[in-house]
Amino acid sequence: MTDQRLPVYAILSLGLTQIIGYGTLYYSFSVLAPSIAGGFQATTEWVYGILSIALLAGGVLAPWLGKLIDRLGAAQIMTVGSAFAALALILCATSPNSLAFIVTLTIVEIAANLVQYGAAFALLVQIKPMVAQRSIVYLTLIAGFASTIFWPLTSLLLQWLTWQQIYLVFAGLHLVVCLPLHYSLTRTSKTTHDQRKNDDKEIASVAGALPQASRRMGFTVLLAAFSLQALISSAILVHMIPLLSVLGLAKSAAFIGAVFGPSQVASRMINMMAGKTLSPVNLAIIAASFIALSVMILMIGAPYIPAAILFACLFGFGNGLFSIISGSLPLFLFGSTGYGAMQGKLMSARLVLSAIAPFAMAFALKNTSVYITLAIIIVVSIAGGGLYFIIKQDLQSRALN
């Protein structure tokens, strides 16, 4: 009989490392960007342009890293990734000039692929494929606190430390906290990997809802949908505080932004308790709808604080659910075999497309109307939801036949 118990230790350990991974390598950047720009006597657009280049480099390498995760094991890759992330942050903090900063920030984003959701989801699938969808929900529930913790924490640290010193502190977190936790999971990962090779101890796997003949087209549609969704999420998350400030909410921006994190967690908690019968495809459509609706409310209601808070809540709901489906929907559609490589391909396309988001958003906010920018975001989000609907229609038509 298949063991249906959740890998609790793995979920809790990865929850903590994902909070640190996303907090130090992603969410902190929007807080530190003005200080980084000032240190290099550059504009914030330049800084976000460098981030775009770094994300692009990470996206190009993602498919190769995904195959490496399947071959060597996700826990092993994440252990090395923790050390690599610490080294990358140290190099970034000690960059002597702008050219060195470009190179080191690129290394930071490559390291992020080794320790963030793509690798963590693959580890949960490798440990227990049959309960991986539930494991992913629990993991994203914990990791949803990353922005809530690291936006205010980074702002607080910036009152006493330089951005370079903050990156050194963050490097210490990867070495002292993340590396030991990831290493502790290598034994479990090795055991399950060995079991798959042993016919007498073979563990169950997930088959996937799409038949082999439809998977190429299904993967293409899913890749496009994920890419559009990631483009929107990246643009808004990196510029959450600046966007609210442009809309006349500068004094309340930090408070409104802080609502985003708990909303992510709330959406995942609601899904965990009441969404057990909801398929990942329907969850994806709901997530895209929440994001589009949130931006509509912000565009119509700003600068009124209640409208902005509602925006942060709904955007948090949508983005929180998107984090779940980015791990559970590929597993549901294509199964657990080769999951790491599949996640690498999906991550690559998402990062390559969303790499333009930080710079494009910064440019748009400075040189065009903020309302035109928000209108484009709404259209793109609706398009992503439409692609999920195409996948749903395909599954329904196959079920009828």
Side-chain angles (χ1 to χ4, degrees), residues 123-362:
L123 177 53
L124 293 175
V125 170
Q126 288 175 0
I127 293 174
K128 286 190 176 181
M130 298 303 292
V131 295
Q133 287 198 34
R134 280 198 294 150
S135 297
I136 288 170
V137 172
Y138 281 92
L139 173 59
T140 56
L141 176 65
I142 300 170
F145 288 102
S147 61
T148 306
I149 294 172
F150 273 88
W151 270 338
L153 176 61
T154 306
S155 297
L156 185 64
L157 289 174
L158 202 54
Q159 295 180 20
W160 295 293
L161 304 174
T162 65
W163 70 267
Q164 293 96 332
Q165 292 169 332
I166 291 173
Y167 268 177
L168 293 177
V169 171
F170 289 169
L173 290 177
H174 283 275
L175 287 177
V176 176
V177 180
C178 298
L179 192 150
L181 287 175
H182 290 153
Y183 181 75
S184 71
L185 293 169
T186 57
R187 182 176 178 82
T188 302
S189 180
K190 184 178 185 300
T191 300
T192 54
H193 183 70
D194 290 343
Q195 285 177 335
R196 289 186 180 89
K197 290 183 176 181
N198 190 329
D199 292 335
D200 297 328
K201 296 181 180 179
E202 188 175 359
I203 60 176
S205 61
V206 177
L210 282 178
Q212 288 291 338
S214 303
R215 291 193 174 184
R216 182 181 294 274
M217 179 59 69
F219 184 83
T220 301
V221 176
L222 181 65
L223 185 146
F226 274 11
S227 297
L228 294 179
Q229 199 89 27
L231 177 66
I232 298 304
S233 294
S234 176
I236 294 179
L237 284 176
V238 173
H239 291 280
M240 175 78 79
I241 306 301
L243 174 63
L244 294 172
S245 299
V246 170
L247 289 167
L249 293 156
K251 293 182 179 180
S252 306
F255 167 74
I256 295 167
V259 174
F260 165 77
S263 298
Q264 282 198 121
V265 175
S267 69
R268 294 163 185 170
M269 188 172 294
I270 293 170
N271 178 67
M272 181 181 66
M273 294 185 297
K276 293 180 180 179
T277 59
L278 195 65
S279 77
V281 182
N282 288 331
L283 200 63
I285 294 172
I286 293 171
S289 300
F290 272 140
I291 291 176
L293 180 60
S294 72
V295 181
M296 289 179 189
I297 290 172
L298 182 66
M299 184 169 67
I300 296 170
Y304 296 104
I305 293 177
I309 292 175
L310 184 56
F311 150 75
C313 287
L314 292 176
F315 182 72
F317 288 160
N319 202 69
L321 295 177
F322 176 59
S323 297
I324 295 173
I325 64 163
S326 64
S328 64
L329 186 52
L331 180 63
F332 172 76
L333 293 174
F334 308 109
S336 57
T337 303
Y339 181 85
M342 178 173 54
Q343 274 286 4
K345 293 177 182 177
L346 290 170
M347 187 66 68
S348 175
R350 288 167 53 189
L351 287 175
V352 168
L353 185 59
S354 64
I356 66 172
F359 175 76
M361 188 79 165

Side-chain angles (χ1 to χ4, degrees), residues 327-397:
S328 64
L329 186 52
L331 180 63
F332 172 76
L333 293 174
F334 308 109
S336 57
T337 303
Y339 181 85
M342 178 173 54
Q343 274 286 4
K345 293 177 182 177
L346 290 170
M347 187 66 68
S348 175
R350 288 167 53 189
L351 287 175
V352 168
L353 185 59
S354 64
I356 66 172
F359 175 76
M361 188 79 165
F363 181 85
L365 288 175
K366 185 173 182 179
N367 296 284
T368 66
S369 166
V370 64
Y371 296 102
I372 293 176
T373 303
L374 293 176
I376 294 172
I377 289 174
I378 292 169
V379 171
V380 173
S381 187
I382 292 173
L387 292 172
Y388 293 132
F389 190 76
I390 290 173
I391 296 174
K392 178 181 178 179
Q393 290 294 99
D394 183 47
L395 290 175
Q396 287 179 339
S397 64

Side-chain angles (χ1 to χ4, degrees), residues 42-60:
T43 63
T44 54
E45 290 93 332
W46 178 86
V47 174
Y48 284 115
I50 301 309
L51 178 62
S52 293
I53 294 172
L55 289 170
L56 184 63
V60 170

